[in-house]
Amino acid sequence: MPLEQYRKKRNFQKTTEPAGGAEPNPSRKRTKLPRFVVQEHHATSLHWDFRLERDGVLVSWAVPKGIPPDPKRNNLAVHVEDHPLNYIDFAGEIPEGNYGAGGVSIWDQGTYEVVKWSDREVMVDLHGERVEGRYVLFQTNGKNWMIHRMDPPQDAGREPMPERLEPMQAKLSKGLPRDQQGYGFEFKWDGIRALAYISGGRLRLSSRSLEDITNRYPELRELGGTVGARELILDGEIIAVAEGGRPSFERLQGRMGLTSEADIRRKMKEIPVGYVIFDLLYLDGHATLEVPYADRRRLLEELKLKGRYWQTPPYTPGEGTTTLEASKQLGLEGVMAKRLDSGYQPGRRSDAWLKIKNHQGQELVIGGWLPGEGGRSGRIGALLVGYYQDGKLVYAGKVGTGFTERMLDRLQALLAPLRRATSPFEGGVAPPRKAIFTEPRLVGEFEFSEWTASGQLRQPSFKGLREDKDPRSVVRETPP
Ligand code: MN
């Protein structure tokens, strides 16, 4: 019985989908070419339903990654039950609780010609509004088929999506560039850099060191679904927001190191993350690396990527002074100045991008601690920090603020086994007498107003641990 399976799975009192009449659609004349449809279906898992009109029904496949635009890629196509002919125009919301609940929209439709049709192989020429060309579907194992484009890509200039791009980096600048008109300005976000690769509705997040960090941030997964069939590489920063709405690197640390799914799920509620998107490196078959920054930003803004866990804050061309002032008022780290006419240089620290910080900050090595007084006696009152110069650890001062109670506990636990009798510091000003020294293994991120003439930090505060950093690589960023 045609459509028996289709009807069994659905309750037509409840779903918005058509039940399908017994008769083939009478309005269609036999002389016309048969029709096809591709429906984008935001069910539990996003997929595209590919349906071909044949013998009074729609022969159907669910294609998780969509219709491949390029013959280099075969996509899985799961053969599913025949659908009624009038399903070809169906779009709308399948209500919760029903089979395939979620939004359905028509991604493409048109006519097709059969080149070959057997039980195991279907070859067709599609004439759609989006898709034009020859495709073959072939059975690989039971319900599992593959869909392959046989023609060259429709877009003759199509470039495959790059798989491993390193993010472009900025040079530290003491102030705003003189020629503000030549730059676009963005807030500087205090989080971790991540590139987002989106294809076939699936998101992959890659860190600065090209590590796949997708599974660590499940709240960002749906960004892939939102993008649908478009193909993008985005550049941005993953942040965690502290009370008061300010991004906090320290807070983000509660998420960064987690890898077990259960830990991540639990911590997500307490420390949700957001993705702040600020650049576009690939769009629908074309790298945009050589497109000037101002035009990349325009393309990015046209994508309107805004959701609960991601956003695309605007940039301000020419307005460095006001952007920097606003960043101070908002308590942000600083601003980025990006040359409006500059291309994207993956992995390069280029002076086309400048970072201007409201506070100085850098990584420093922890070489001991000073016990606190009063309520903090016996516990950490301040950390003793330094940096390497000519192979020696130079003492840079003590840091007694910026810790949460939880972080102090953590530091206490991490430093206890590193304790040693002698000072690891060999240069600079002498550390305080009551110091308790440790092996110089831990690296922290610190903020301060300036370096004093004697090479000490002024008004330093602790920002967080940098467990990803090698202590031997820590040097003074702004030399005296
Ligand atoms: Mn479906």
Side-chain angles (χ1 to χ4, degrees):
M1 280 293 288
L3 302 183
E4 191 185 329
Q5 268 200 60
Y6 173 82
R7 291 188 181 121
K8 255 195 198 158
K9 290 183 172 180
R10 289 166 178 80
N11 177 347
F12 296 100
Q13 251 69 62
K14 290 185 175 162
T15 183
T16 46
E17 297 162 292
E23 299 296 311
N25 189 340
S27 67
R28 298 277 302 159
K29 297 217 173 74
R30 289 195 156 272
T31 51
K32 281 191 187 160
L33 285 175
R35 295 173 300 166
F36 82 94
V37 69
V38 180
Q39 282 150 326
E40 184 169 311
H41 188 180
H42 290 260
T44 312
S45 185
L46 171 66
H47 60 272
W48 284 263
D49 290 302
F50 178 56
R51 311 187 195 282
L52 298 170
E53 185 179 49
R54 174 97 173 170
D55 298 334
V57 294
L58 296 173
V59 179
S60 299
W61 291 265
V63 188
K65 292 188 176 177
I67 308 303
D70 195 309
K72 287 189 187 128
R73 190 171 101 197
N74 291 350
N75 284 355
L76 172 70
V78 181
H79 192 207
V80 297
E81 74 276 14
D82 293 344
H83 278 50
L85 276 185
N86 52 355
Y87 207 99
I88 207 158
D89 299 313
F90 176 73
E93 192 69 24
I94 302 174
E96 201 131 339
N98 287 279
Y99 179 73
V104 176
S105 59
I106 292 174
W107 183 79
D108 197 16
Q109 58 191 157
T111 59
Y112 75 95
E113 293 167 77
V114 176
V115 181
K116 193 174 175 185
W117 192 298
S118 73
D119 289 346
R120 306 195 50 186
E121 187 184 9
V122 171
M123 194 185 295
V124 289
D125 287 332
L126 301 180
H127 311 292
E129 284 161 33
R130 286 174 190 261
V131 180
E132 183 71 46
R134 179 164 295 181
Y135 282 82
V136 64
L137 293 116
F138 52 94
Q139 189 181 29
T140 55
N141 181 18
K143 285 180 170 218
N144 291 345
W145 293 48
M146 298 296 270
I147 179 167
H148 168 77
R149 181 175 174 92
M150 300 185 74
D151 282 336
Q154 257 168 271
D155 173 357
R158 187 184 159 79
E159 307 160 49
M161 181 183 275
E163 286 179 12
R164 293 166 65 83
L165 286 178
E166 285 179 53
M168 178 167 167
Q169 295 178 47
K171 284 199 174 150
L172 183 63
S173 170
K174 281 193 171 163
L176 291 164
R178 242 179 270 166
D179 160 32
Q180 290 193 21
Q181 292 307 311
Y183 290 82
F185 295 89
E186 301 169 1
F187 290 139
K188 186 176 186 317
W189 303 100
D190 194 9
I192 56 164
R193 194 75 177 278
L195 296 192
Y197 297 74
I198 304 171
S199 173
R202 267 70 185 169
L203 169 80
R204 176 167 66 87
L205 286 171
S206 169
S207 75
R208 198 159 109 172
S209 55
L210 303 181
E211 194 186 350
D212 188 329
I213 51 170
T214 316
N215 293 333
R216 298 190 187 182
Y217 305 105
E219 51 272 75
L220 305 183
R221 190 173 300 153
E222 190 41 37
L223 174 58
T226 309
V227 164
R230 304 198 73 165
E231 295 178 291
L232 311 176
I233 301 177
L234 303 169
D235 189 359
E237 191 96 355
I238 296 172
I239 59 166
V241 173
E243 281 156 45
R246 207 159 51 87
S248 158
F249 184 74
E250 194 188 345
R251 197 163 158 73
L252 183 62
Q253 287 197 316
R255 289 289 304 275
M256 278 169 69
L258 301 181
T259 50
S260 105
E261 203 186 321
D263 289 348
I264 291 166
R265 288 277 161 203
R266 189 155 31 78
K267 218 47 173 181
M268 251 173 83
K269 296 190 187 98
E270 187 193 332
I271 311 175
V273 300
Y275 187 46
V276 181
I277 304 161
F278 49 69
D279 216 327
L280 175 70
L281 315 187
Y282 180 88
L283 174 64
D284 294 336
H286 297 272
T288 51
L289 302 175
E290 283 165 32
V291 174
Y293 168 80
D295 296 324
R296 296 201 308 276
R297 285 297 312 222
R298 184 175 46 74
L299 293 170
L300 176 62
E301 271 150 38
E302 282 168 8
L303 295 171
K304 297 191 164 60
L305 300 173
K306 189 176 187 303
R308 186 166 167 207
Y309 296 109
W310 53 88
Q311 51 170 309
T312 314
Y315 78 105
T316 47
E319 301 279 346
T321 309
T322 48
T323 311
L324 187 62
E325 194 45 48
S327 81
K328 281 179 189 159
Q329 281 171 12
L330 294 167
L332 299 176
E333 217 189 348
V335 299
M336 305 291 296
K338 300 182 176 176
R339 279 213 66 86
L340 293 169
D341 58 2
S342 66
Y344 190 97
Q345 301 161 270
R348 285 275 314 278
R349 191 176 293 281
S350 157
D351 52 18
W353 285 16
L354 303 173
K355 53 182 172 188
I356 300 109
K357 290 185 173 181
N358 292 326
H359 301 278
Q360 292 202 59
Q362 76 155 71
E363 287 133 20
L364 291 160
V365 182
I366 300 166
W369 51 282
L370 204 57
E373 285 159 11
R376 262 159 96 175
S377 75
R379 305 186 63 223
I380 293 173
L383 295 175
L384 308 178
V385 297
Y387 57 89
Y388 278 95
Q389 188 175 35
D390 303 327
K392 290 178 178 172
L393 187 64
V394 179
Y395 179 64
K398 54 178 204 259
V399 185
T401 61
F403 312 102
T404 57
E405 282 303 316
R406 187 185 286 186
M407 181 51 82
L408 281 173
D409 290 343
R410 176 124 192 274
L411 285 165
Q412 199 91 46
L414 289 168
L415 289 172
L418 298 179
R419 203 158 158 165
R420 58 182 253 179
T422 57
S423 171
F425 299 106
E426 290 186 74
V429 173
R433 270 169 208 271
K434 290 182 183 165
I436 291 166
F437 295 112
T438 63
E439 295 294 339
R441 300 260 177 77
L442 291 184
V443 179
E445 176 84 26
F446 298 87
E447 234 177 48
F448 51 95
S449 59
E450 60 181 347
W451 288 98
T452 65
S454 59
Q456 298 288 288
L457 303 166
R458 180 162 285 162
Q459 298 172 312
S461 74
F462 175 80
K463 298 289 288 173
L465 279 172
R466 293 305 306 232
E467 281 158 286
D468 51 336
K469 295 290 162 88
D470 173 10
R472 303 298 300 191
S473 71
V474 172
V475 295
R476 184 167 159 180
E477 280 179 21
T478 47

